[in-house]
Amino acid sequence: MAESQVEREHHNGSEDANAERPKTPNLMSPPVSNDSTKIKAPDAISSRVVDRNSEPVDSDELKGALHRLEQGNRSRNSTPGASPARKRQRVWGDRFIPNREGTDLRSGYHLMHDDASPATPSKSKKKAAPNELHFQKTDEANQTYSSLLRSELFDDTIPTAIPETGARSHTPPSAASSLPTSNFTPTTPHKNILNFKSPHHHSAASLQLSPSRTPSSRRSINMNTRAEIYNLSPVKQSSQQMLLNPRKKPRAVSKVPYKVLDAPKLQDDFYLNLVDWGSSNILGVGLASSVYMWNSSSGKVVNLCELTDDTVTSVNWIQRGSHLAIGTNKGYVQIWDAEKQRRLRTMTGHTARAGALAWNEHVLTSGSRDRSILHRDVRQPEQYFEKLVGHRQEICGLKWNGDDGQLASGGNDNKLMVWDNMNREPLHKFSDHNAAVKAISWSPHSRGLLASGGGTADRKIRFWNTITGSMVQEVDTGSQVCNLAWSTNSNEIVSTHGYSQHQIVVWKYPSMSQVVSLTGHTFRVLYLAMSPDGQVIVTGAGDETLRFWNCFKKKDSSSTGIGKMEEWGTIR
């Protein structure tokens, strides 16, 4: 009884003490983790937590215990080696306003393309195939678009391409530069041509509010029908005028031959020259062992000669007259009077076939497979008066330039040589071709301009300045070049081709843009000749046909001062 009474008094005393002490709020215990690792509280604390009514809880100790418990849970839940969270990019939305402040549009436009074209330039320019003429229309359309874009961006101050003479500076020039404005070279912009900024980046000072009142000058009605406010087109009036201006139409050339003649036994041999058109409008053709003449005016065909136990390898008309030179497979060179149809003489000197002939007034030059070139004066009894040795293989091309007295020769050794007058040593030796050089032609429009074409392994037409001895330009035709001939009426050149496209191409010089590409032959177009008036060309191939093409216009007669005065009539 005494013990129970003491316990009862002690219990009542503790209640009185607890009533006097401020009550500690009830704390919720953290959730129990399923992990096997558990953090145990100290004995002193755990004994107090088990029985809250046993003795008062110290708040400082309780805070420390909770802090240690949170640190344990944090270390248990953290993943070792985790990468830090990336900062999300700020998205401004899908509307961007182009900012052209501080941007040099003129210099930026020059950087877009070599020709100031908005098209993205490719790393390697690939030349289109010669028979694909649609690339010219595409190029013309790109140039038109480029001009329109310049007009829209720069209005009347349209920039033009400025050739670079040195390294381009990457820093803009200083404001104190003394260069004049007209000769200013555009600098490289530091950023893109069009800079995009968010509207939040614009300061309030840069925003220009529209005027609250319309100026008095704008109150009147604009009666100009060409004003921009009445323009319904997406481009300006000046651009419309540029697009509507009539363009020079390309010259129309018929792609169908107006005449086709059968040429049986016309040899398919790259090294022969069996077709030539004389000044008397007579076409000479070598067929096997015979030579035929076709009169262009009457259409009459005459068999000039037939060789005995020999074949024809080349024919060539004298510049003025009716004399025709014939080279044979045995190395003979015969001269015939076509008007009287009789042989004048037979000249020797070659030990192999004479496949190339060229006249220079009274001098006849012949090239042979024996690698020699012989100059013959047909007025003299000697067989030849000069022998040129320079090529290491067969001579397949010969052309005289009567104005400068220079002879061009091409051989199967891939060499092109220029001989000055009758000198024994060549003036120039060109070895740029990678195949046989048969196609040779002198320009009648430019002094000392020579064109040459290479065979299957080369496929290029090269232009040479024989005065300086340098190459002017070259163009890859994509196929074997068999013949070249300059137009006497315009600054154009025609080429015939073999493997692999068998086409005839008319080029505009010096741009070397195609005027027309003609097809029809099924074999290599090995033979080419031009009419005396310069309007018609005839081509021959191994398909045993001769095709006549009307490629060039009639030459305009140059009017003299007297002719203009005659048009004025009588002077009163």
Side-chain angles (χ1 to χ4, degrees):
M1 291 293 292
E3 291 178 2
S4 60
Q5 185 177 2
V6 173
E7 291 176 2
R8 192 180 301 112
E9 290 178 355
H10 178 74
H11 180 71
N12 294 336
S14 62
E15 288 180 355
D16 296 339
N18 293 335
E20 294 177 0
R21 188 182 295 110
K23 295 183 178 181
T24 303
N26 297 331
L27 299 176
M28 297 181 63
S29 61
V32 180
S33 174
N34 296 330
D35 298 341
S36 59
T37 306
K38 296 182 179 180
I39 300 177
K40 297 181 179 180
D43 297 338
I45 298 177
S46 61
S47 62
R48 295 175 184 176
V49 172
V50 171
D51 188 1
R52 293 176 54 192
N53 297 327
S54 61
E55 58 181 72
V57 179
D58 190 358
S59 61
D60 295 335
E61 294 180 0
L62 181 61
K63 290 180 181 180
L66 293 176
H67 179 69
R68 288 191 293 272
L69 183 62
E70 291 177 358
Q71 291 292 337
N73 290 337
R74 188 176 304 162
S75 62
R76 185 169 61 251
N77 296 333
S78 62
T79 303
S83 59
R86 295 183 179 179
K87 185 178 179 182
R88 294 186 61 185
Q89 296 181 356
R90 197 170 185 179
V91 180
W92 297 105
D94 59 347
R95 284 196 68 183
F96 295 92
I97 300 176
N99 177 32
R100 297 185 176 91
E101 296 178 1
T103 302
D104 190 357
L105 288 180
R106 295 172 65 88
S107 60
Y109 192 87
H110 284 297
L111 293 178
M112 297 178 80
H113 196 264
D114 295 338
D115 300 328
S117 171
T120 303
S122 58
K123 292 183 179 180
S124 59
K125 278 189 175 182
K126 186 177 181 181
K127 182 72 175 177
N131 62 337
E132 297 179 0
L133 291 179
H134 66 273
F135 80 91
Q136 295 184 20
K137 297 182 180 179
T138 304
D139 187 45
E140 183 180 356
N142 289 337
Q143 292 179 3
T144 303
Y145 176 72
S146 176
S147 302
L148 178 64
L149 183 60
R150 286 198 302 266
S151 177
E152 288 294 310
L153 287 177
F154 306 104
D155 202 8
D156 295 334
T157 59
I158 300 177
T160 57
I162 301 176
E164 298 181 2
T165 56
R168 184 165 47 194
S169 174
H170 294 275
T171 57
S174 60
S177 176
S178 60
L179 293 176
T181 307
S182 59
N183 296 332
F184 173 70
T185 303
T187 59
T188 304
H190 295 280
K191 298 182 180 180
N192 294 333
I193 295 175
L194 296 179
N195 298 323
F196 294 96
K197 281 190 178 181
S198 169
H200 300 283
H201 290 184
H202 290 281
S203 60
S206 63
L207 299 177
Q208 297 180 357
L209 301 178
S210 58
S212 59
R213 184 177 180 182
T214 305
S216 58
S217 60
R218 298 183 182 178
R219 292 180 182 177
S220 59
I221 300 176
N222 191 345
M223 301 300 296
N224 184 12
T225 58
R226 295 182 177 270
E228 293 295 334
I229 59 174
Y230 303 119
N231 186 14
L232 301 180
S233 174
V235 297
K236 296 184 295 187
Q237 190 71 28
S238 58
S239 301
Q240 295 181 42
Q241 186 177 2
M242 179 187 66
L243 292 175
L244 295 176
N245 284 339
R247 294 179 178 83
K248 185 178 180 181
K249 295 182 179 180
R251 179 166 56 86
V253 179
S254 176
K255 295 188 176 182
V256 179
Y258 73 89
K259 187 184 294 291
V260 178
L261 298 179
D262 290 332
K265 299 182 181 180
L266 184 63
Q267 298 187 53
D268 185 21
D269 193 331
F270 179 80
Y271 301 98
L272 306 185
N273 296 272
L274 298 176
V275 178
D276 194 30
W277 207 328
S279 60
S280 56
N281 209 14
I282 304 295
L283 181 68
V285 184
L287 302 177
S289 60
S290 302
V291 175
Y292 291 87
M293 297 186 301
W294 177 76
N295 192 318
S296 177
S297 302
S298 62
K300 184 179 179 180
V301 178
V302 175
N303 186 2
L304 178 63
C305 66
E306 285 194 17
L307 304 180
T308 305
D309 194 22
D310 205 351
T311 57
V312 180
T313 56
S314 59
V315 294
N316 191 253
W317 289 95
I318 194 171
Q319 286 94 336
R320 289 179 295 274
S322 60
H323 289 176
L324 178 66
I326 301 173
T328 70
N329 190 53
K330 291 185 177 181
Y332 299 123
V333 177
Q334 299 181 2
I335 300 177
W336 286 74
D337 187 345
E339 185 177 355
K340 299 179 180 179
Q341 298 183 18
R342 68 185 182 91
R343 186 177 62 186
L344 300 179
R345 63 182 298 184
T346 300
M347 294 179 287
T348 61
H350 291 299
T351 58
R353 67 181 182 186
L357 298 172
W359 285 90
N360 183 18
E361 296 181 353
H362 56 273
V363 175
L364 175 61
T365 303
S366 59
S368 172
R369 181 180 268 183
D370 62 7
R371 307 186 299 274
S372 65
I373 300 173
L374 300 181
H375 289 313
R376 312 171 187 268
D377 191 340
V378 296
R379 302 171 301 178
Q380 303 297 328
E382 292 80 12
Q383 299 297 321
Y384 61 90
F385 66 90
E386 197 65 71
K387 183 177 182 179
L388 308 180
V389 178
H391 290 277
R392 296 182 179 180
Q393 292 191 35
E394 180 177 5
I395 312 298
C396 51
L398 280 177
K399 281 293 187 299
W400 270 103
N401 181 9
D403 297 334
D404 296 334
Q406 292 181 339
L407 172 69
S409 63
N412 196 34
D413 56 355
N414 308 345
K415 298 294 189 297
L416 173 67
M417 298 187 182
V418 177
W419 312 79
D420 193 12
N421 292 319
M422 305 300 170
N423 295 336
R424 292 186 177 183
E425 295 297 327
L427 179 63
H428 301 295
K429 289 184 180 181
F430 303 115
S431 57
D432 297 75
H433 286 289
N434 299 319
V437 183
K438 176 191 176 185
I440 300 173
S441 183
W442 292 92
S443 172
H445 311 287
S446 300
R447 180 174 175 266
L449 180 60
L450 174 65
S452 62
T456 307
D458 187 73
R459 307 187 306 273
K460 292 183 179 179
I461 300 175
R462 289 181 168 88
F463 297 89
W464 313 89
N465 185 342
T466 59
I467 300 175
T468 61
S470 60
M471 184 174 66
V472 179
Q473 69 177 108
E474 65 178 13
V475 58
D476 190 351
T477 63
S479 58
Q480 179 188 37
V481 183
C482 301
N483 287 281
L484 289 172
W486 285 91
S487 170
T488 57
N489 302 342
S490 59
N491 198 11
E492 296 173 340
I493 188 171
V494 58
S495 61
T496 66
H497 300 271
Y499 299 123
S500 60
Q501 300 175 21
H502 315 311
Q503 82 276 23
I504 303 109
V505 182
V506 179
W507 308 83
K508 187 72 176 178
Y509 187 82
S511 63
M512 291 307 290
S513 60
Q514 290 188 13
V515 177
V516 68
S517 179
L518 309 173
T519 56
H521 287 288
T522 57
F523 280 68
R524 297 180 294 174
V525 188
L526 298 176
Y527 310 110
L528 170 68
M530 186 175 293
S531 62
D533 59 3
Q535 299 183 58
V536 179
I537 62 171
V538 57
T539 57
D543 55 7
E544 299 183 347
T545 60
L546 294 174
R547 298 173 184 264
F548 295 80
W549 314 83
N550 197 344
C551 291
F552 304 103
K553 292 183 178 180
K554 189 176 181 180
K555 187 175 183 180
D556 297 333
S557 57
S558 57
S559 56
T560 60
I562 299 177
K564 292 182 180 180
M565 293 174 60
E566 290 177 353
E567 295 177 359
W568 296 345
T570 306
I571 300 177
R572 296 181 181 178

